[in-house]
Amino acid sequence: MGQIRLLPETVANQVAAGEVVERPASVVKELVENSIDAGARKIDILIRRGGISLVRVIDDGCGMDRDDALLSLERHATSKIRSAADLQAVATLGFRGEALPSIASVSRFRLITREAHAIAGTEIIVNGGKLDIVRDGGEAPGTHVEVRSLFYNIPARRKFLRSENTESRNIEHQIQLQAIGHSQIAFSLLRDDRMLFQLPAAATLTDRIRDLYGAELLDRLVEVNGTPSRQIRIGGFIGQAGLSRQSRAQQIVFVNGRSIESSFISAAIREGYHTALMKGQYPVMFLFLELDPAAVDVNVHPSKREVRFRDPTGVRQAIVRCIQQTLEGGRAAWQEKFRAAAVAAADVSGKAAPDLRLRPEVSSFEELHRELPHFSPATSHRVTTGATVAGVGDPGIGSSSSSIGQVLRLPAPRVDSPSDALALQRSQRLAGQQEFQIIGVLSKLYVLMENADGLVLVDQHAAHERILFEELRRRMEEQGVPTQKLLLPQTFDVPPRDADWIERNLSILQRMGIGIESFGPGSFKIDSVPSFLDVSDPAQFMRKVIDDLKGAANSASAMRLGEEMIAKSVCRHAVKANDPLRYPEVEKLIRDLLDCDLPYCCPHGRPTMIQISLAELEKKFGRKV
Ligand code: ADP
Ligand code: MG
């Protein structure tokens, strides 16, 4: 008996601080969240030495009277919820009533606060959890919190802190998160007397993203336009296919206004991007999920960074669908850019000097229509009307085999033969319908094009991969996957659980081009595989497919696995770098690419094209600073 004791208040607060206050960035997070909950329009943050020596947050929010200010430093004291029932639908960022007492227990803490109509404010000083001073304070309405010498009384904790630089970066990231989530609030961050950013209250999320990350990033984002389900609303911006980062720092997700980190949501995002994202890379996005507060549990962890969903499958599907739709919808705007350029170009060439318009290197009419050696006939229907000619010239007489890469701009086309005349006629007829303008091919790999923004470089190999990939996928969806029979059917055994799984998914496997049937208990016979795959050991191939498929939760995902198999194989079939392409081939490649659902990246998520803007060129040439 007599072994169990209630911990003194200060010690209890320090224990709680272990979870709430991990590092200076968590102090910033809690204080800024309090300011937001207090209805602040403007939040100014100052940090010194990575926030270890000082974090100061000043807001113009509602402030507190003296009683509330004193109470706010008691554990479990909060103005934000009153009963357990309120926990079901938390509308504020805070609700646990832990942050202020926790922070004050591990630092030298000073709070100055004043309500708008009050004559005087209150100043409270707490050192290591011990209340030292309470007096009148004379600041402007709002709340001013200073946290000095974090963990000065807990040396063990202090040892876990990283360098000042790292801690500063964490803080900066934390404030960026809040700034994205609350664009109507003005934020400023001063680091050791240097202004890191000063964001005016922004009218829209677009303005805030531009202010924080620049117009160039904004240009590569697509506004989310999915209406995925009735339970969940999804808004914000996501990066175009092909835009990615090495870290998750710009993969920013809010659930009901709260920035959260969730491996569950990350997995859904990855599934949504699928082949539009390089392996090991992360997308850029500012995604806002809104659902009924009762459908989300935010009380999972003291730092409130994790959430639990009542219907995780529904949320996952909504995210996946929304990202897919948005990426494919973003294509229209993207194509528009090329059209805009073409109209401008047609105007100029039409008025000024029609003679200067150049024609493709064509030695016969047949050649104009010749298919790329690797192109499947099925893609040919996509070549619609126009032949685009401007920008590529005749390399000269007798050099019909030279590649586009060597082609220079030359004046007035020559007409040497009737077939040339035909081609020229055709190109002149269609000149008004130009959609893009090809300048040439660099290093037998990069197609150079012009659009309204400047220069576009297309990787011909990546582009062809994307085209083949979508073609194969379309065929897979329409007619199932083409298969090749094995010379000798193979039988293989699997453990009972896998056998059961195969039985249940036979039809999906067959749709994926795998000819498989039951061959006694726990045994299967496989007699065909997808024809575009090189399968040397069918049994091993099957085991891999089963493993992969078991990971995918539903049949939609299973079809996506089919896509992955295709993505792996197209690389081998696509035109390589260094395969010299002739002008009509390049033109067809670009045209087919523009017709793709996701033209801007190859099936492995690498970009197919890069834009170098006129502004960038002007900067490089010192025309503009
Ligand atoms: P919680 O935010 O979970 O309620 P905190 O310990 O962070 O717990 O804050 C306790 C209370 O102090 C809040 O509920 C709020 O009423 C008050 N408070 C804290 N910071 C501010 C602020 N910047 N402006 C006005 N009131 C504040
Ligand atoms: Mg709080």
Side-chain angles (χ1 to χ4, degrees):
M1 283 296 278
Q3 298 295 310
I4 302 180
R5 249 165 252 146
L6 266 181
L7 288 176
E9 177 79 9
T10 316
V11 181
N13 282 335
Q14 285 173 353
V15 172
E19 286 175 310
V20 185
V21 191
E22 205 184 337
R23 48 184 3 102
S26 10
V27 172
V28 170
K29 170 178 190 286
E30 294 295 338
L31 296 182
V32 170
E33 285 189 350
N34 280 346
S35 299
I36 295 169
D37 282 345
R41 316 295 313 157
K42 185 167 177 292
I43 303 176
D44 296 310
I45 301 128
L46 175 146
I47 60 171
R48 280 196 210 288
R49 302 195 43 217
I52 303 164
S53 125
L54 173 65
V55 169
R56 189 182 77 193
V57 175
I58 301 176
D59 69 50
D60 61 354
C62 63
M64 289 176 269
D65 65 17
R66 179 164 297 191
D67 288 349
D68 273 358
L70 282 165
L71 204 54
S72 75
L73 292 161
E74 299 285 331
R75 207 139 68 94
H76 307 311
T78 178
S79 57
K80 299 169 193 174
I81 57 170
R82 286 180 192 275
S83 68
D86 291 349
L87 257 189
Q88 304 290 311
V90 176
T92 46
L93 295 170
F95 58 89
R96 298 173 58 103
E98 281 184 318
L100 291 188
S102 299
I103 295 168
S105 75
V106 294
S107 67
R108 301 186 193 284
F109 180 94
R110 180 162 171 249
L111 168 78
I112 305 163
T113 184
R114 188 182 139 195
E115 291 176 300
H117 56 263
I119 313 156
T122 306
E123 176 176 358
I124 299 177
I125 295 178
V126 181
N127 287 308
K130 197 169 118 327
L131 184 67
D132 273 350
I133 295 171
V134 182
R135 61 185 170 210
D136 281 354
E139 295 282 335
T143 301
H144 171 137
V145 179
E146 281 175 15
V147 177
R148 286 176 198 275
S149 315
L150 186 65
F151 298 138
Y152 80 99
N153 53 347
I154 311 194
R157 251 312 160 81
R158 224 183 149 113
K159 281 198 201 110
F160 280 99
L161 295 179
R162 313 285 277 291
S163 71
E164 285 174 20
N165 251 330
T166 310
E167 297 296 352
S168 291
R169 271 202 302 274
N170 282 331
I171 292 175
E172 200 181 333
H173 176 65
Q174 185 54 238
I175 298 171
Q176 286 179 354
L177 289 182
Q178 308 278 12
I180 289 291
H182 304 274
S183 44
Q184 76 289 358
I185 301 177
F187 283 89
S188 73
L189 172 61
L190 221 97
R191 172 185 167 182
D192 299 314
D193 300 322
R194 204 160 64 88
M195 187 58 86
L196 287 194
F197 48 74
Q198 205 166 9
L199 303 166
T204 61
L205 177 62
T206 318
D207 294 339
R208 181 51 54 93
I209 294 174
R210 191 186 302 106
D211 289 347
L212 206 45
Y213 299 106
E216 217 148 298
L217 180 75
L218 192 64
D219 236 24
R220 302 186 64 188
L221 300 177
V222 196
E223 185 157 13
V224 168
N225 65 0
T227 39
S229 83
R230 267 188 299 135
Q231 284 86 18
I232 177 166
R233 271 206 315 276
I234 305 185
F237 291 85
I238 67 174
Q240 280 175 353
L243 175 67
S244 64
R245 297 279 187 263
Q246 261 152 7
S247 84
R248 222 175 255 150
Q250 283 182 356
Q251 180 183 310
I252 299 178
V253 181
F254 295 85
V255 174
N256 290 350
R258 188 185 301 280
S259 136
I260 57 139
E261 282 163 21
S262 148
S263 51
F264 166 77
I265 291 183
S266 294
I269 289 171
R270 182 155 278 285
E271 192 182 335
Y273 269 88
H274 196 61
T275 62
L277 194 65
M278 260 187 269
K279 285 240 155 63
Q281 295 272 46
Y282 300 93
V284 175
M285 67 170 58
F286 308 96
L287 202 64
F288 292 77
L289 312 185
E290 301 284 340
L291 6 58
D292 178 359
V296 207
D297 184 358
V298 289
N299 191 18
V300 179
H301 190 270
S303 71
K304 299 163 286 177
R305 235 178 278 137
E306 292 165 36
V307 293
R308 236 181 254 129
F309 296 103
R310 203 169 55 194
D311 171 23
T313 313
V315 172
R316 195 190 108 242
Q317 282 173 351
I319 295 175
V320 172
R321 217 172 312 136
C322 172
I323 291 178
Q324 282 173 341
Q325 284 172 6
T326 305
L327 288 177
E328 293 184 359
R331 168 179 169 253
W334 182 86
Q335 284 177 326
E336 206 43 51
K337 270 191 178 179
F338 285 83
R339 296 236 164 76
V343 172
D347 274 2
V348 172
S349 51
K351 269 185 227 138
D355 279 350
L356 285 178
R357 188 142 352 95
L358 304 170
R359 69 188 181 92
E361 172 212 354
V362 183
S363 56
S364 74
F365 188 60
E366 283 67 44
E367 196 153 19
L368 185 68
H369 290 273
R370 198 164 62 91
E371 292 289 333
L372 264 175
H374 299 284
F375 272 44
S376 58
T379 50
S380 65
H381 73 273
R382 289 210 172 126
V383 182
T384 45
T385 40
T388 305
V389 291
V392 178
D394 191 328
I397 309 159
S399 61
S400 64
S401 68
S402 67
S403 77
I404 308 287
Q406 296 147 3
V407 171
L408 297 169
R409 276 175 173 267
L410 288 174
R414 307 160 51 100
V415 179
D416 293 339
S417 71
S419 59
D420 267 9
L422 245 175
L424 184 63
Q425 232 177 39
R426 180 175 141 84
S427 58
Q428 279 171 342
R429 178 160 43 85
L430 296 166
Q433 303 175 12
Q434 287 170 26
E435 286 177 15
F436 47 83
Q437 203 168 343
I438 297 172
I439 300 167
V441 178
L442 178 70
S443 186
K444 295 189 199 153
L445 172 58
Y446 303 109
V447 181
L448 307 184
M449 294 174 27
E450 185 182 340
N451 71 354
D453 289 347
L455 184 65
V456 181
L457 292 150
V458 179
D459 177 325
Q460 67 177 39
H461 175 64
H464 196 199
E465 276 186 350
R466 166 54 65 183
I467 296 162
L468 285 181
F469 170 75
E470 293 202 359
E471 177 57 28
L472 277 172
R473 183 179 61 183
R474 192 178 58 76
R475 279 203 246 158
M476 177 171 94
E477 279 161 7
E478 283 170 6
Q479 315 144 18
V481 179
T483 62
Q484 71 193 30
K485 283 255 178 265
L486 296 175
L487 279 179
L488 289 173
Q490 286 218 4
T491 57
F492 63 101
D493 298 329
V494 290
R497 272 186 37 202
D498 284 356
D500 179 50
W501 185 90
I502 296 179
E503 291 286 356
R504 273 187 287 118
N505 290 284
L506 273 179
S507 69
I508 289 178
L509 292 172
Q510 278 154 3
R511 273 228 324 270
M512 283 169 54
I514 300 168
I516 184 169
E517 59 187 68
S518 187
F519 198 72
S523 197
F524 291 89
K525 188 177 83 178
I526 172 168
D527 64 4
S528 57
V529 292
S531 56
F532 53 81
L533 283 185
D534 241 352
V535 178
S536 53
D537 181 349
Q540 199 193 349
F541 163 74
M542 264 321 292
R543 293 208 175 87
K544 168 112 186 47
V545 169
I546 295 166
D547 277 352
D548 288 353
L549 273 179
K550 276 203 302 192
N554 56 21
S555 62
S557 305
M559 285 313 276
R560 301 217 112 197
L561 190 77
E563 289 183 8
E564 205 144 284
M565 299 197 310
I566 300 173
K568 281 197 186 117
S569 75
V570 287
C571 193
R572 286 185 286 117
H573 297 294
V575 287
K576 293 284 179 310
N578 296 327
D579 281 357
L581 297 184
R582 306 171 63 74
Y583 179 79
E585 297 166 343
V586 173
E587 188 205 306
K588 175 154 161 39
L589 187 78
I590 300 300
R591 197 174 287 283
D592 285 348
L593 181 67
L594 287 171
D595 270 348
C596 283
D597 287 336
L598 276 188
Y600 13 65
C601 73
C602 84
H604 312 291
R606 279 194 303 279
T608 50
M609 49 182 67
I610 291 171
Q611 170 95 54
I612 299 173
S613 68
L614 288 173
E616 247 174 290
L617 289 175
E618 277 174 9
K619 235 196 238 163
K620 288 219 160 75
F621 280 108
R623 288 170 168 273
K624 215 163 71 180
V625 278

